[in-house]
Amino acid sequence: MQSIYKYIIFSIVLVCCVLPLNAQTKDTKTDSIPKVWYNGIRAEIDVAPIVSTFLSNSETFSYEGGVQADILHKYYPVVEIGFAGADRTTSTDIRFKTNGLFGRVGLDFNLMKPKAGAKPSNNVFLAGARIGFSSFNYSMTNIVITDDYWNERTILNYPNEAVIKVWFEVVAGMRVEVIKNIYMGWTIRNKHTLGQSMAGEMNPWYIPGFGKNLTGSNWGVNYSIGYKF
């Protein structure tokens, strides 16, 4: 019986000694790669408008780029700016024309979690949100209003309307390092305008940075090429 007691006591002491050493080993492996708060900034340009301009028969155009910081390989604050416009004539000869600057600010989160003790990957899958805004002028001309009772036609022109539009976006995308510090990737955006138009106010057909404003919501796709500094 004493031998059994000695065996149990010896086993407990052994476990108590081994567990702290094992935990210390794991902590050493985890802490072997120190966490760095700032991990560079990536500057990007969007090449998708080259395709979208062709598909729209040059009715719309857009140029944009942005910068995105890497914080702890987890948080990615971003600023995007650009210039866009549209020139469209409908089948009834109503012409809409605009161009202007736009900007977006937001934050992305990296959904890819690194393995314990492993170096964070340079390839990331991001999801986040943006607030977009644009201040621009637009014109709508040759709008024909017909009075069915008097059978009269009135032509309305809005030659220079100045507006400010704000919207929010929910975004998701990925970035892949194809060559050292050279990144490529895509972003999908779901956009919704904020605020309501006043009664009788004419809504612009196109908002720089937002796109076609037909229902107050829109989808967009960006394909970016960037360099990380």
Side-chain angles (χ1 to χ4, degrees), residues 196-208:
Q196 295 182 350
S197 302
M198 301 294 292
E201 180 183 356
M202 185 70 68
N203 275 322
W205 175 75
Y206 182 92
I207 300 174

Side-chain angles (χ1 to χ4, degrees), residues 7-198:
Y7 177 77
I8 293 174
I9 293 173
F10 176 76
S11 299
I12 294 174
V13 172
L14 182 62
V15 170
C16 291
C17 293
V18 171
L19 285 178
L21 290 174
N22 188 40
Q24 184 177 1
T25 303
K26 289 182 178 180
D27 290 340
T28 303
K29 290 181 180 179
T30 303
D31 297 336
S32 61
I33 301 177
K35 292 183 178 180
V36 180
W37 183 79
Y38 173 74
N39 296 280
I41 189 169
R42 187 174 60 248
E44 299 180 333
I45 59 171
D46 181 22
V47 298
I50 298 175
V51 177
S52 61
T53 299
F54 173 78
L55 295 177
S56 69
N57 294 321
S58 300
E59 285 187 344
T60 63
F61 69 89
S62 179
Y63 309 100
E64 70 174 87
V67 291
Q68 189 167 48
D70 181 346
I71 308 299
L72 296 172
H73 296 298
K74 184 176 182 181
Y75 307 103
Y76 293 79
V78 59
V79 176
E80 300 166 336
I81 58 173
F83 181 77
D87 189 350
R88 178 175 185 261
T89 302
T90 69
S91 58
T92 56
D93 291 330
I94 299 175
R95 186 180 185 188
F96 175 88
K97 188 175 183 179
T98 187
N99 60 69
L101 297 170
F102 65 89
R104 306 187 198 98
V105 294
L107 179 66
D108 289 340
F109 299 89
N110 184 12
L111 302 183
M112 297 179 63
K113 294 183 178 180
K115 296 180 180 179
K119 183 179 179 181
S121 173
N122 290 329
N123 304 327
V124 294
F125 183 80
L126 302 172
R130 307 278 190 276
I131 290 292
F133 51 91
S134 179
S135 177
F136 60 100
N137 289 48
Y138 72 91
S139 64
M140 291 186 68
T141 56
N142 201 35
I143 304 172
V144 179
I145 306 296
T146 303
D147 188 326
D148 294 332
Y149 184 80
W150 297 104
N151 197 25
E152 294 181 349
R153 299 177 62 197
T154 303
I155 298 178
L156 300 179
N157 294 305
Y158 298 86
N160 191 27
E161 299 294 312
V163 293
I164 297 175
K165 291 293 183 180
V166 181
W167 65 92
F168 76 91
E169 304 179 359
V170 179
V171 305
M174 64 182 302
R175 297 293 183 271
V176 176
E177 187 179 31
V178 291
I179 307 176
K180 183 175 177 59
N181 294 331
I182 303 294
Y183 287 77
M184 299 180 70
W186 50 264
T187 302
I188 297 177
R189 306 171 182 267
N190 182 233
K191 314 175 189 182
H192 299 268
T193 55
L194 297 175
Q196 295 182 350
S197 302
M198 301 294 292

